[in-house]
Amino acid sequence: MIIFVTGGAGFIGSNFIYYMLKKYPDYRLVCVDKLTYAGNISTLQKAMENANFRFVKADICDRDTIYALFEEEKPDIVVNFAAESHVDRSIEDPEVFLQTNIIGTAVLMDACRKYGIKRYHQISTDEVYGDLPLDRPDLFFTEMTPLHTSSPYSSSKASADLLVLSYYRTYGLPVSISRCSNNYGPYHFPEKLIPLMIVNALHDKPLPVYGEGLNVRDWLYVEDHCSAIDMIIHNGGVGEVYNVGGHNEMKNIDIVKLICKELDKPESLIIYVADRKGHDMRYAIDPTKIHKELGWLPKTKFADGIKKTIQWYLNNREWWETILSGEYQNYYEKMYSQIHNRQCE
Ligand code: NAD
Ligand code: TDX
């Protein structure tokens, strides 16, 4: 079995590569990644030692290169993780989100049509459903919930989903889609809430909470997402969408306070900053379909997963310190300059 994994130098893609190499020693995994600011080749260092792993630096929008790779490798399955993934960046500059998340998806599926494929799997997100109100805890996203996006990021992901389903209906391409809730775990880029708060707390830097910190996210340990994808690509229905989430809703402020407690840092580091534009209030996945059809259940409880994650950041300082010393620093200073301004007031 040959699996193409796009975006494998990023957070979830790299975790998926390690999960699959361990579980299926006979499979060949070919990772295609452009190595944007979010891709980190050092993350795949251990995978490079495996003879069944190949890394190719390429842009999924580059049709000639993608076709040449398909011609050469003849993959059985494509799992598309490659994306611009940060909501705040999409608000600043949407264009690259449209390019990678929509056009890139189309190029990959065209290659699948041209060379033949057993399965094209699209990694989507719960954000395509928009948000739920805080005062209706009885409501959850099901696969039938209408798409109703808020940010340029989620709109680009929803556009890709529609394109994927259209390739199924129009061309009969054997596709599937998973829409997962917020992941956390090792190799999570420190612009996202959990790793940002961990590394800032370790440096005794302010912990910037948007608005009042009351927004709710439904957190899933990344390995549980990987096991869901594994089940879908092997046993999931063609043309089907699967929601993935572990019923673990938490307010942002509670997560940040928990990180302070675990690291023995004072809550006085927390600073409330201007809210994200169009900020979604609550995400909550109903995972009944994947549980009933494929038997998927998450294994890691949040209380354990967050401890493991914090420990990983403590044990792998070099990984994130290299990121903090690079181009990311400019982004952080631009995005969070208000922290400095407020402190000076
Ligand atoms: P990430 O930003 O950590 O990684 C994205 C990877 O894609 C990087 O390695 C980057 O170099 C690569 N990439 C970007 N543009 C590319 C291009 N044009 N060609 C080739 N490679 C390119 O993202 P992540 O958090 O690992 O998310 C992976 C996927 O999962 C995304 O599709 C995202 O929408 C989805 N998702 C993420 C979460 C989450 O909580 N992080 C939740 C649900 C769904
Ligand atoms: O500094 C911050 N302060 C803050 O309060 C950051 C970076 C975030 N937040 C808030 C915004 C959100 O309510 O924390 C919450 C989580 O934010 P992010 O980590 O940026 O994640 P989110 O916007 O929920 O999107 C994530 O989950 C769904 C991923 O980045 C997406 O790729 C995925 O599709």
Side-chain angles (χ1 to χ4, degrees), residues 308-342:
K308 272 206 275 189
T309 303
I310 291 174
Q311 197 55 50
W312 188 88
Y313 280 84
L314 287 168
N315 295 345
N316 292 274
R317 286 190 90 106
E318 205 186 326
W319 182 85
W320 53 267
E321 275 172 354
T322 310
I323 291 169
L324 297 191
S325 65
E327 184 267 335
Y328 171 69
Q329 194 58 36
N330 299 331
Y331 163 83
Y332 187 83
E333 270 153 26
K334 189 173 150 225
M335 283 298 289
Y336 293 88
S337 56
Q338 55 176 315
I339 297 174
H340 177 69
N341 295 341
R342 278 209 194 171

Side-chain angles (χ1 to χ4, degrees), residues 111-127:
C112 291
R113 286 175 56 214
K114 188 168 158 66
Y115 295 97
I117 196 94
K118 291 197 180 85
R119 178 67 64 98
Y120 173 88
H121 184 72
Q122 177 74 0
I123 304 295
S124 185
T125 167
D126 59 359
E127 296 200 21

Side-chain angles (χ1 to χ4, degrees), residues 7 9-13 32-36 38-39 58-61 80-85 100 123-125 153 157 180-183 188 192:
F11 166 43
I12 309 175
V32 180
D33 197 296
K34 188 182 175 183
L35 296 181
T36 67
D59 186 335
I60 58 164
C61 303
N80 180 26
F81 292 92
E84 287 295 331
S85 68
T100 289
I123 304 295
S124 185
T125 167
Y153 162 71
K157 294 294 290 184
C180 190
S181 60
N182 285 59
N183 286 211
H188 203 181
K192 307 284 169 58

Side-chain angles (χ1 to χ4, degrees), residues 85 125 127 153 182 193 196 208 210 217 252 276 279 336:
S85 68
T125 167
E127 296 200 21
Y153 162 71
N182 285 59
L193 180 77
L196 177 74
Y210 298 163
R217 297 293 182 265
N252 294 340
R276 174 183 279 174
H279 199 171
Y336 293 88

Side-chain angles (χ1 to χ4, degrees), residues 80-247:
N80 180 26
F81 292 92
E84 287 295 331
S85 68
H86 193 33
V87 173
D88 292 324
R89 287 184 190 253
S90 83
I91 294 166
E92 287 298 296
D93 189 4
E95 194 173 338
V96 67
F97 285 74
L98 311 186
Q99 193 61 33
T100 289
N101 300 1
I102 306 173
I103 304 296
T105 298
V107 169
L108 288 172
M109 290 194 298
D110 286 341
C112 291
R113 286 175 56 214
K114 188 168 158 66
Y115 295 97
I117 196 94
K118 291 197 180 85
R119 178 67 64 98
Y120 173 88
H121 184 72
Q122 177 74 0
I123 304 295
S124 185
T125 167
D126 59 359
E127 296 200 21
V128 298
Y129 299 121
D131 63 353
L132 296 164
L134 289 181
D135 61 358
R136 289 292 308 273
D138 55 314
L139 296 180
F140 296 90
F141 297 136
T142 74
E143 290 80 2
M144 302 307 287
T145 303
L147 304 187
H148 187 74
T149 55
S150 311
S151 69
Y153 162 71
S154 54
S155 304
S156 69
K157 294 294 290 184
S159 306
D161 283 12
L162 292 175
L163 210 50
V164 171
L165 294 172
S166 78
Y167 272 55
Y168 169 61
R169 169 137 184 189
T170 306
Y171 306 114
L173 193 72
V175 305
S176 49
I177 297 176
S178 52
R179 294 181 179 146
C180 190
S181 60
N182 285 59
N183 286 211
Y184 69 102
Y187 301 116
H188 203 181
F189 196 86
E191 67 187 349
K192 307 284 169 58
L193 180 77
I194 289 182
L196 177 74
M197 297 300 161
I198 296 172
V199 305
N200 276 17
L202 287 172
H203 286 135
D204 296 307
K205 277 172 68 172
L207 308 178
V209 170
Y210 298 163
E212 295 176 75
L214 300 178
N215 307 63
V216 169
R217 297 293 182 265
D218 186 357
W219 295 95
L220 185 73
Y221 194 61
V222 63
E223 210 171 83
D224 284 323
H225 187 185
C226 296
S227 73
I229 300 163
D230 176 18
M231 286 179 180
I232 297 168
I233 59 178
H234 288 103
N235 301 314
V238 165
E240 294 293 324
V241 175
Y242 293 92
N243 282 356
V244 183
H247 280 302

